[in-house]
Amino acid sequence: QVQLVESGGGLVQPGGSLRLSCAASGSIFTINIMGWYRQAPGKQRELVAVITVDGNTNYADSVKGRCTISRDNANSTVYLQMNSLEPEDTAVYYCNLVNSYAGYAYYYWGQGTQVTVSS
């Protein structure tokens, strides 16, 4: 099992910044991907950004240039630096970890942290 604990959400004005953190613990495989997804009210959960152990990243078009994902492998922690936040970024942000082994993928989710962008 894997436990994911998120922190860093909150209320921020448009144009502001936030940094989300997610610490993973438990059975973390050597090959894994960590990332962030978000879900706004009435919408489906969507990808924000993911990062591999090797540091390869993928971003949603809506956040490219405004968000940076990074990770600390030694501490099994992933970060999401969000700049130039817009009201459309308001959502619950979920940390995700995918363990990969022998062609199988095991998905784990955090409890979510609320990000509200409003003046």
Side-chain angles (χ1 to χ4, degrees):
Q1 278 291 346
V2 172
Q3 294 76 44
L4 301 171
V5 179
E6 300 125 331
S7 61
L11 173 64
V12 64
Q13 292 186 344
S17 298
L18 279 177
R19 189 191 195 210
L20 306 183
S21 301
C22 173
S25 61
S27 182
I28 302 168
F29 292 3
T30 301
I31 300 174
N32 67 78
I33 298 173
M34 297 187 75
W36 293 92
Y37 290 71
R38 68 186 182 186
Q39 187 168 17
K43 295 187 177 181
Q44 291 187 330
R45 191 173 297 189
E46 62 177 7
L47 168 76
V48 178
V50 292
I51 184 169
T52 68
V53 171
D54 296 333
N56 295 311
T57 59
N58 187 37
Y59 294 90
D61 288 342
S62 59
V63 304
K64 281 181 181 176
R66 301 188 298 118
C67 293
T68 302
I69 190 169
S70 60
R71 63 186 291 169
D72 177 352
N73 289 331
N75 293 300
S76 301
T77 301
V78 64
Y79 305 96
L80 184 68
Q81 177 67 43
M82 302 188 292
N83 301 322
S84 301
L85 284 163
E86 304 166 352
E88 292 73 24
D89 295 314
T90 296
V92 178
Y93 283 69
Y94 294 93
C95 180
N96 169 260
L97 184 146
V98 182
N99 273 334
S100 180
Y101 179 76
Y104 291 92
Y106 305 88
Y107 293 79
Y108 301 92
W109 295 94
Q111 78 284 357
T113 185
Q114 177 71 47
V115 171
T116 302
V117 184
S118 175
S119 55

